[in-house]
Amino acid sequence: MDSIAKALVFDGQVKVVAFKTTDLVNEAIKLHSLSPLAAEALGKVLSVAAYMSNELKGEKEKLSVHVQDKGVLGSIIVAADAGGKVRGYIQNKDAVLPPLGNGRQDLFKGIGSEGFITVIKDLGLKDPYVGKTELVRGNLEEDFAWYFTRSEGSPTALALEVLIGEDGTCTSAGGVLVQPMPGCPEHILVVVEDIVSSFAGVGDILKVKEPSDILKDYFGHFEIEYFPEVTPLYRCKCSREQMSNAIITLGRGDSVNLLMERGEIEVVCHFCGKKYVFSKQDVIDIWQKYDHKI
Ligand SMILES: [Zn+2]
């Protein structure tokens, strides 16, 4: 079962989070019919966003992650609500490149090292927090580690893998994130670095160990404080009302043209694929409501 397990070790001086997101990635593969390459890319962003959303403090806080790249995959957008609830979209879901073997895809070419990661956090303040860093590798784990280090000021080691099987489903997804707190002494950093190096191939580790086992097995012999585990989930919040905004965005002229052409307007949610059909009367009502408001 998917889970996010978190602990503080070395008397609160290092944060460690292990997360398993295999079911979550398979849900995304099913909803979007993702190619293996697109599944690894979107799966990695969904996994990191699930971790990030679990770090949000208030229930109403939310965030979005946007990866803009120059590779064949195009933009990736993931939105998340507090507590590990995420939904995502990738521009070129059918993109294919020769795989690297062992369930690993060629993200270096799929995403490339030109582009940006942008994170917007709505923490209920007047202005949202916006963090942006350039992609450094295109494999996403080093890119997100760089984002946390550079933009959020938290030096981070991140092991992250999404393995795709022959049948196109995800066989293992998740990772381990380690963040020393500011002022963490050098001798602890040395120990942590040594442990982090054992997480290469974290996808294979997650096939045999649960996230809570990873924390226990690798860090349990140090002073450790565990946090309650959370289950990350693929959750879309789209609604008919929200989707009616797409008709306003379309504009009055184009929505009338579409109605003449097809008799109704169908709007599909990018995140979950749910279809919303608006009849002629629906569209008239939407525009009347809009006119009433302005
Ligand atoms: Zn939706």
Side-chain angles (χ1 to χ4, degrees), residues 185-215:
E186 189 63 32
H187 68 277
I188 292 180
L189 288 178
V190 173
V191 176
V192 167
E193 267 171 30
D194 191 40
I195 298 173
V196 164
S197 65
S198 51
F199 294 124
V202 70
D204 290 326
I205 297 175
L206 283 163
K207 280 182 184 171
V208 291
K209 283 182 197 283
E210 295 302 319
S212 56
D213 296 331
I214 292 180
L215 296 189

Side-chain angles (χ1 to χ4, degrees), residues 148-204:
F148 291 123
T149 304
R150 172 82 186 185
S151 189
E152 299 197 359
S154 304
T156 299
L158 176 65
L160 176 68
E161 279 196 317
V162 170
L163 304 179
I164 307 297
E166 296 275 318
D167 64 353
T169 62
C170 174
T171 55
S172 181
V176 177
L177 174 139
V178 181
Q179 272 179 354
M181 299 295 160
C184 181
E186 189 63 32
H187 68 277
I188 292 180
L189 288 178
V190 173
V191 176
V192 167
E193 267 171 30
D194 191 40
I195 298 173
V196 164
S197 65
S198 51
F199 294 124
V202 70
D204 290 326

Side-chain angles (χ1 to χ4, degrees), residues 87 236-239 242-243 268-274 276:
R87 55 203 178 273
C236 190
K237 291 201 306 185
C238 62
S239 64
Q242 188 193 352
M243 287 299 160
V268 181
C269 173
H270 269 332
F271 289 127
C272 71
K274 194 169 171 189
Y276 293 85

Side-chain angles (χ1 to χ4, degrees), residues 6-201:
K6 176 179 166 180
L8 286 174
V9 279
F10 300 108
D11 204 15
Q13 296 191 91
V14 179
K15 177 171 87 180
V16 190
V17 183
F19 46 98
K20 184 172 173 176
T21 48
T22 312
D23 298 341
L24 172 61
V25 174
N26 274 321
E27 182 78 21
I29 291 173
K30 208 166 66 187
L31 278 173
H32 295 287
S33 306
L34 301 169
S35 71
L37 181 70
E40 179 173 333
L42 180 58
K44 281 182 167 178
V45 183
L46 285 167
S47 302
V48 175
Y51 150 73
M52 291 169 86
S53 74
N54 192 43
E55 293 291 301
L56 295 172
K57 301 283 181 282
E59 245 177 57
K60 287 194 176 155
E61 294 181 3
K62 53 192 177 184
L63 61 87
S64 66
V65 181
H66 186 184
V67 178
Q68 295 155 277
D69 66 80
K70 299 243 170 86
V72 294
L73 286 164
S75 279
I76 301 170
I77 296 171
V78 169
D81 298 306
K85 295 179 202 74
V86 293
R87 55 203 178 273
Y89 164 78
I90 185 162
Q91 200 176 355
N92 299 324
K93 69 182 180 70
D94 301 319
V96 181
L97 286 171
L100 299 176
N102 297 327
R104 292 165 177 92
Q105 304 295 316
D106 195 350
L107 277 202
F108 294 106
K109 276 199 196 135
I111 289 182
S113 55
E114 281 179 66
F116 296 92
I117 289 178
T118 308
V119 175
I120 301 173
K121 291 185 189 175
D122 179 353
L123 307 175
L125 306 169
K126 191 164 145 265
D127 296 313
Y129 160 90
V130 182
K132 185 173 182 175
T133 49
E134 65 275 25
L135 294 170
V136 285
R137 286 280 278 174
N139 61 359
L140 292 175
E141 54 267 29
E142 285 169 82
D143 305 294
F144 275 106
W146 175 240
Y147 163 78
F148 291 123
T149 304
R150 172 82 186 185
S151 189
E152 299 197 359
S154 304
T156 299
L158 176 65
L160 176 68
E161 279 196 317
V162 170
L163 304 179
I164 307 297
E166 296 275 318
D167 64 353
T169 62
C170 174
T171 55
S172 181
V176 177
L177 174 139
V178 181
Q179 272 179 354
M181 299 295 160
C184 181
E186 189 63 32
H187 68 277
I188 292 180
L189 288 178
V190 173
V191 176
V192 167
E193 267 171 30
D194 191 40
I195 298 173
V196 164
S197 65
S198 51
F199 294 124

